[in-house]
Amino acid sequence: MHPERRPVFRKRSLIPAIYILFLMLPIYWLVTMSFKTTNEILGGFTPWPQNFTLANYEKIFTDSTWYSGYINSLTFVIANTILSVVVALPAAYAFSRYRFLGDKHLFFWLLTNRMAPPAVFALPFLQLYSAVGLFDTPWAVALAHTLFNVPLAVWILEGFMSGVPKELDETAYVDGYPFWRFFIKIFIPTIAAGIGVACFFCFMFSWVELLLAKTLTSVAAKPIVATMTRTASTSGYELGLLAAAGTLTIVPGAFVIYFVRNYIAKGFALGRV
Amino acid sequence: MYKQLNHKAWFLVLPVVALVAFNAIIPLMTVVNFSVQETFGDNVFFWAGVLWFEQVLQSDRFHDALLRQILFTTIILLIEVPLGLIVALAMPRKGAWVSVCLVAMALPLLIPWNVVGAMWNIFALPEIGLMGKGLRSLGFDFNYTRQPLTAWFTVVLMDVWHWTSLVVLLCYAGLVSIPNDYYQAAKIDGASAWSVFRYIQLPKLKRVLTIAILLRFMDSFMIYTEVVVLTGGGPGNSTTFLSIDLVKMALGQFDLGPAAAMSLIYFLIILLLSWLFYTVMTRNEAK
């Protein structure tokens, strides 16, 4: 935001360009691999596919052990996102508007759960969700991921809500709105951007997590990331297939980023800039 | 902002408390339970007191994993924070390029962690990977499946690839929030680029940098999936960080007592260090 006009191409723009090139190289390699045959991959180094093939993708879209993995993953990710944001909304409102008994301690305790290593919780979660009969369902993973997504959603939403002037609430109450009607009809539309950002983050952290998702499922609800690790270890060197599956896991993420691109910067600062 | 005292607000936080308590307190009690008991199977447990804690704290295996963890976290913080800051400062603030940059940079953050590991595995394979082959044809003796040093290099590079964007996006968010007047005032005063950075941009970035360092510290201390898929903790134990060691112990060998004791020590270390970081940084901010 420098006031003076400058030429479009500056030496400085080289830095982000080189950085993006560095980010794209491994992705390029993954996508290239997914179009190669296993023979070509193991036969030696080729910078791009010599025998272009779609067989890897065909296998994923026709074999149910593969494509059901994507469906299972998307099921628990979406369930988790909705659940996390819905319970976080009123809580974030309480933290941004009121003081109450133990509020600071409660907020810190919520955040400590974001710091808990999933490796610590893997085994106890397995026992807990087996005991309540949710093992090997998408719900177990959706619920388990709320451990770190709910604190994050509360944190982000609280940041966005604190930016909304209190006069909005007070005017509505003076006009005779009961709390819930005000909250749903007026307040939620006001912080729509914040909700979008919170959804983005919940989606992201649930979609990328493997350890809990893998521990809490076995066959029926196996997520795509677990399918990939098991394939990698059992059938040896099917690198092309693995690359195709990996490429397809990038697609939902890219889709989601495109929709929130204008809010990403603010969202990454958790609404606190 | 002035906040009203209202204890009824508890009703609004109740769903969150119930959900997180179900997920956090019950499993944590299980861990505490295991950590003070000895079992010989058949669900028969004996009181073991602090035996497991002593055992873990005195074991070389734990010390080594902790040292590796601290070394790894230090290295990636020293690379990612300055690099992220530099890229954010050089990014354009207006125009079509901004969206392209943001979308491209956010992409690594949304790739499942095991895919990140698999991608780097394929990318760095000594004979058929782009990076492995490239480095070898430049004359480097690169083989991350055999040499601890190149394995570390690959793991660090992978983490820089994966997470520097988080620092970039946070810093960028801080930078665009600085009002234009500040720059104009600096221009009138004839301030150099360095003093603009030192006295205008850096103070404004303190908050986001705090968030960035905290998040990167916590997450790098918990790193598991990417490294397991890339190197499996090897060669030998050279890239076995705390989480990897813990999972080996708990799910691999079912040494529940020591694993639970290690879990608690591990969690306490993260809590303590995060709290330290946070208070030191917010105190500097207050000055």
Side-chain angles (χ1 to χ4, degrees):
Chain A
M1 264 190 217
H2 288 264
E4 79 270 31
R5 287 211 160 274
R6 294 195 182 183
V8 182
F9 287 103
R10 282 170 293 153
K11 251 189 262 169
R12 232 169 58 148
S13 327
L14 264 179
I15 299 175
I18 293 171
Y19 177 65
I20 290 175
L21 186 72
F22 165 62
L23 294 186
M24 290 304 138
L25 273 178
I27 298 179
Y28 162 75
W29 198 244
L30 184 80
V31 176
T32 309
M33 281 285 182
S34 71
F35 293 116
K36 290 181 182 173
T37 58
T38 307
N39 279 343
E40 185 184 340
I41 293 171
L42 296 179
F45 178 83
T46 45
W48 50 80
Q50 307 293 319
N51 306 308
F52 188 87
T53 173
L54 286 173
N56 296 321
Y57 288 96
E58 214 180 293
K59 165 125 187 167
I60 288 171
F61 283 116
T62 50
D63 185 343
S64 77
T65 54
W66 278 103
Y67 67 73
S68 68
Y70 285 97
I71 298 169
N72 291 334
S73 282
L74 282 173
T75 311
F76 73 69
V77 169
I78 290 168
N80 169 270
T81 305
I82 294 172
L83 183 66
S84 301
V85 173
V86 166
V87 298
L89 271 169
Y93 182 81
F95 282 119
S96 83
R97 290 298 194 255
Y98 300 117
R99 284 181 298 135
F100 48 91
L101 190 67
D103 52 354
K104 292 213 175 70
H105 299 284
L106 187 63
F107 199 71
F108 185 73
W109 174 69
L110 281 179
L111 281 185
T112 59
N113 292 302
R114 179 65 182 69
M115 303 170 196
V120 169
F121 281 91
L123 188 63
F125 268 1
L126 180 63
Q127 296 183 323
L128 175 64
Y129 285 101
S130 304
V132 295
L134 285 175
F135 177 72
D136 204 17
T137 62
W139 306 111
V141 187
L143 277 171
H145 283 178
T146 59
L147 174 72
F148 44 81
N149 271 349
V150 164
L152 193 71
V154 172
W155 198 18
I156 295 172
L157 288 171
E158 197 265 337
F160 275 91
M161 287 177 184
S162 298
V164 177
K166 261 197 100 144
E167 284 71 33
L168 182 77
D169 314 29
E170 279 153 10
T171 325
Y173 295 142
V174 169
D175 286 349
Y177 272 90
F179 171 72
W180 283 109
R181 263 195 63 205
F182 155 74
F183 195 69
I184 292 164
K185 292 250 164 162
I186 301 174
F187 198 70
I188 285 183
T190 315
I191 52 149
I195 295 175
V197 169
C199 286
F200 169 79
F201 270 83
C202 291
F203 184 94
M204 163 177 157
F205 280 111
S206 185
W207 178 250
V208 298
E209 208 278 338
L210 167 82
L211 183 58
L212 293 180
K214 191 176 156 182
T215 311
L216 292 175
T217 55
S218 71
V219 182
K222 200 199 296 190
I224 182 64
V225 285
T227 315
M228 282 181 69
T229 55
R230 278 164 207 175
T231 306
S233 53
T234 52
S235 65
Y237 251 48
E238 283 201 76
L239 282 179
L241 196 60
L242 206 64
T247 306
L248 288 175
T249 63
I250 302 179
V251 176
F255 209 61
V256 172
I257 298 176
Y258 183 76
F259 276 113
V260 295
R261 67 190 182 285
N262 294 325
Y263 302 109
I264 284 180
K266 196 177 179 197
F268 272 91
L270 309 178
R272 261 172 191 72
V273 179
Chain B
M1 197 191 317
Y2 169 76
K3 291 186 195 171
Q4 212 181 326
L5 190 67
N6 181 356
H7 291 306
K8 274 191 229 154
W10 256 99
F11 287 110
L12 296 174
V13 293
L14 215 56
V16 163
V17 173
L19 190 62
V20 177
F22 175 74
N23 264 328
I25 293 177
I26 300 174
L28 204 61
M29 288 325 292
T30 320
V31 176
V32 172
N33 223 347
F34 281 139
S35 75
V36 293
Q37 297 188 81
E38 163 76 291
T39 178
F40 300 107
D42 299 334
N43 274 332
V44 186
F45 289 91
F46 302 95
W47 174 253
V50 292
L51 175 74
W52 300 131
F53 290 91
E54 279 174 357
Q55 202 183 76
V56 168
L57 283 173
Q58 285 165 1
S59 77
D60 287 339
R61 178 175 164 179
F62 179 73
H63 292 167
D64 292 347
L66 183 63
L67 261 179
R68 279 191 288 265
Q69 186 68 68
I70 291 170
L71 186 65
F72 174 74
T73 299
T74 314
I75 294 176
I76 63 110
L77 279 178
L78 285 177
I79 299 175
E80 288 175 13
V81 174
L83 181 66
L85 194 57
I86 290 169
V87 174
L89 283 168
M91 259 174 77
R93 304 283 150 73
K94 270 188 243 175
W97 276 110
V98 177
S99 284
V100 177
C101 281
L102 288 176
V103 171
M105 286 179 188
L107 203 55
L109 301 173
L110 274 145
I111 300 177
W113 294 346
N114 70 313
V115 179
V116 171
M119 183 192 289
W120 275 82
N121 187 332
I122 297 173
F123 186 56
L125 277 177
E127 288 307 325
I128 52 176
L130 187 61
M131 176 179 139
K133 187 78 182 170
L135 284 175
R136 282 173 90 88
S137 61
L138 287 175
F140 293 99
D141 179 27
F142 178 87
N143 188 340
Y144 75 95
T145 55
R146 296 263 172 74
Q147 306 144 338
L149 200 66
T150 47
W152 265 78
F153 173 77
T154 316
V155 170
V156 167
L157 197 65
M158 172 178 71
D159 201 76
V160 168
W161 178 87
H162 193 183
W163 287 111
T164 304
S165 293
L166 184 75
V167 185
V168 175
L169 292 168
L170 277 164
C171 290
Y172 182 75
L175 284 173
V176 291
S177 76
I178 300 175
N180 225 343
D181 307 356
Y182 284 53
Y183 293 113
Q184 264 161 353
K187 214 184 146 208
I188 291 165
D189 292 345
S192 66
W194 167 251
S195 25
V196 169
F197 172 71
R198 174 69 189 79
Y199 297 105
I200 296 177
Q201 292 172 324
L202 197 59
K204 278 274 173 186
L205 285 178
K206 253 187 188 144
R207 263 201 108 126
V208 281
L209 273 177
T210 310
I211 300 175
I213 294 174
L214 257 178
L215 280 178
R216 276 320 297 133
F217 165 73
M218 294 185 316
D219 289 343
S220 70
F221 226 78
M222 299 187 237
I223 191 166
Y224 172 77
T225 310
E226 302 99 303
V227 183
V228 162
V229 176
L230 181 64
T231 66
N237 276 328
S238 59
T239 52
T240 300
F241 301 120
L242 283 176
S243 274
I244 301 173
D245 203 26
L246 182 57
V247 172
K248 267 186 199 165
M249 208 190 274
L251 296 177
Q253 304 160 334
F254 266 95
D255 282 340
L256 294 185
M262 184 180 159
S263 298
L264 290 178
I265 296 168
Y266 182 14
F267 192 16
L268 282 177
I269 292 174
I270 296 187
L271 275 185
L272 186 72
L273 287 176
S274 299
W275 177 80
L276 258 176
F277 264 124
Y278 189 75
T279 33
V280 168
M281 279 169 159
T282 44
R283 190 177 296 154
N284 283 343
E285 204 174 65
K287 265 182 195 164

